[in-house]
Amino acid sequence: MSGLLRCYSFHSVKGGVGKSTLSVLTALGLAQRGAQVTLVDMDLTGTSLADVLPLEAPAWEDLEPSAALALLRPPTGFLSHEETRDRMELRDELASEAIERDPEGAEALVPRCVPFLNDFLLFATPDWDEQRDVDIRTMLWRMQGVPHESLRVVPSSALPSDLDRTLPVIFDENHSGFLEGRLEYLLEALVPGQGEAVVVVDTPPTIPGLSRAVLSLALRLSREPKRPLADDGFMPERLRAARVEWTAFLVGSMDLQDIRAANRWLSQVGEEERPHVRFLVNRIQEGDEHQLQELLKDRIGHEPNPLLNAPAHVKDDRMLRFFRSAAVPAIPDSALGFLEEG
Ligand SMILES: Nc1ncnc2c1ncn2[C@@H]1O[C@H](COP(=O)(O)OP(=O)(O)O)[C@@H](O)[C@H]1O
Ligand SMILES: [Mg+2]
């Protein structure tokens, strides 16, 4: 028996439009309403959620702070937020030294100190099989002040040494199938035995690359029978059996260039894929939401694209600038209205 995986992903043509803000808003808001949520920070090219949120990394009490991570077995607890910050620095130092000694050497690739999504995605040992894959619990960080049962965060790393190690893989089109396959395994591990689990995915700006891998996964899993990644028809078993409901938001602003770019992109979305894709206009000014459709028409003319004509929207709101603040905000119902069907 497999339950329901309710997924939301946030994509954008440009950076800085609010993907990360909306991802955290969604994850936190639903967690505070009793859902069991995992927030996956897939923006491996930019700011890490570990840099802007009060996160606590998983830890193994029998490991030295600088030891290689034991990704095959469950962690025994969590570091404090301060310890987490220190270990992130240590990770960067150790990796930079190893890369300097031998950039191509195996030592340069060993994940240490705190686990990041990077380590899950790039995990490939010579003896890999499904039984010898990363234990998903090693990836699930805690947010200070929020029960771990309701919210788990999988941050990516924006440490310079990690960018050195990860970017060449991400920007190599030959690896996009490999990365999408790793994402599939990540989701497989998050399928609940029964009931419902929520997964929120933040992606890097621009649609090609990782963002497209997420989108491709979303559309493959949103149909029955689900479409496998590989020609051999393989798909992880629990994922195949799960019910998946996925909404991919293309986030933009009221900026003319942004709306034109969104329009171009949305016109590529096939008819049977449209139910899973929504345009979201972020940072709407007070009062503009009632005439949003008119404002959009003003900017691009009467476009037939149905996705552009019924956008979700989120207001420009000081309350949503919660990055780098000490306390986790209580999300009001009104801020989650965009998740309802348009
Ligand atoms: N609805 C909003 N209201 C107010 N500020 C916002 C809103 N959405 C995003 N911001 C602010 O805009 C900036 C960029 O947002 P961010 O989520 O980091 O964008 P992205 O992840 O797309 O690069 C941040 O400073 C964030 O606080
Ligand atoms: Mg971001």
Side-chain angles (χ1 to χ4, degrees):
M1 260 287 288
S2 285
L4 171 67
L5 210 50
R6 190 182 295 286
C7 304
Y8 301 97
S9 56
F10 294 87
H11 309 258
S12 72
V13 179
K14 277 199 320 198
V17 293
K19 283 181 309 301
S20 300
T21 299
L22 297 168
S23 302
V24 176
L25 170 69
T26 304
L28 204 50
L30 296 178
Q32 288 171 352
R33 279 155 187 76
Q36 190 219 91
V37 183
T38 306
L39 169 59
V40 183
D41 174 12
M42 202 75 81
D43 186 356
L44 289 97
T45 63
T47 319
S48 164
L49 291 183
D51 291 331
V52 294
L53 294 173
L55 299 185
E56 302 172 333
W60 294 256
E61 61 192 0
D62 59 330
L63 290 186
E64 291 294 316
S66 62
L69 294 173
L71 295 179
L72 297 179
R73 61 183 166 96
T76 53
F78 293 90
L79 303 172
S80 71
H81 179 49
E82 290 69 30
E83 286 168 327
T84 300
R85 281 288 160 87
D86 292 345
R87 298 269 178 109
M88 282 168 61
E89 261 178 48
L90 184 58
R91 173 178 167 114
D92 195 36
E93 268 169 45
L94 295 171
S96 306
E97 285 164 17
I99 292 169
E100 198 151 303
R101 277 196 300 274
D102 182 4
E104 310 295 327
E107 195 52 30
L109 292 172
V110 174
R112 290 178 194 280
C113 307
V114 285
F116 282 110
L117 178 63
N118 310 47
D119 303 327
F120 181 91
L121 290 180
L122 303 183
F123 190 80
T125 60
D127 60 349
W128 185 91
D129 64 31
E130 279 182 76
Q131 269 63 51
R132 271 186 300 258
D133 200 349
V134 175
D135 184 322
I136 190 66
R137 287 166 289 184
T138 66
M139 291 292 134
L140 305 176
W141 296 36
R142 188 165 72 174
M143 196 186 297
Q144 207 176 58
V146 186
H148 193 52
E149 304 77 65
S150 32
L151 179 64
R152 298 101 56 99
V153 183
V154 185
S156 63
S157 168
L159 300 170
S161 62
D162 276 306
L163 293 177
D164 282 353
R165 294 184 283 184
T166 313
L167 291 187
V169 181
I170 294 176
F171 288 121
D172 179 357
E173 284 290 321
N174 293 324
H175 278 93
S176 69
F178 171 77
L179 290 173
E180 195 177 328
R182 290 303 287 157
L183 286 180
E184 223 173 59
Y185 273 105
L186 181 72
L187 279 190
E188 152 96 353
L190 299 176
V191 171
Q194 54 180 13
E196 178 177 327
V198 174
V199 180
V200 180
V201 187
D202 188 10
T203 71
T206 80
I207 304 302
L210 271 183
S211 183
R212 190 172 54 203
V214 173
L215 209 54
S216 155
L217 186 64
L219 298 174
R220 286 194 297 104
L221 299 182
S222 289
R223 48 166 74 191
E224 285 299 341
K226 300 183 182 74
R227 196 145 36 93
L229 173 64
D231 294 338
D232 64 9
F234 174 80
M235 179 175 290
E237 210 38 59
R238 282 155 51 83
L239 191 59
R240 185 190 292 280
R243 262 200 314 134
V244 176
E245 286 186 13
W246 198 309
T247 307
F249 287 102
L250 176 67
V251 183
S253 68
M254 281 303 290
D255 182 76
L256 179 60
Q257 298 290 346
D258 226 23
I259 289 171
R260 287 208 175 123
N263 190 37
R264 268 197 302 278
W265 188 80
L266 290 170
S267 63
Q268 308 287 314
V269 178
E271 196 173 330
E272 84 258 39
E273 298 167 345
R274 276 184 208 145
H276 311 294
V277 177
R278 286 196 75 192
F279 181 38
L280 189 160
V281 184
N282 189 23
R283 309 194 73 166
I284 296 280
Q285 297 304 315
E286 194 65 49
D288 279 355
E289 66 265 34
H290 303 298
Q291 25 161 352
L292 181 58
Q293 233 140 304
E294 303 309 312
L295 290 171
L296 283 172
K297 274 182 196 156
D298 268 359
R299 306 235 157 151
I300 51 148
H302 288 260
E303 290 286 331
N305 190 329
L307 288 171
L308 204 75
N309 291 338
H313 66 269
V314 173
K315 279 190 231 172
D316 190 89
D317 186 343
R318 293 177 64 135
M319 190 269 294
L320 297 180
R321 291 184 212 148
F322 37 57
F323 289 156
R324 297 178 200 281
S325 70
V328 168
I331 306 295
D333 288 342
S334 59
L336 295 174
F338 73 95
L339 292 176
E340 320 267 298
E341 281 305 303

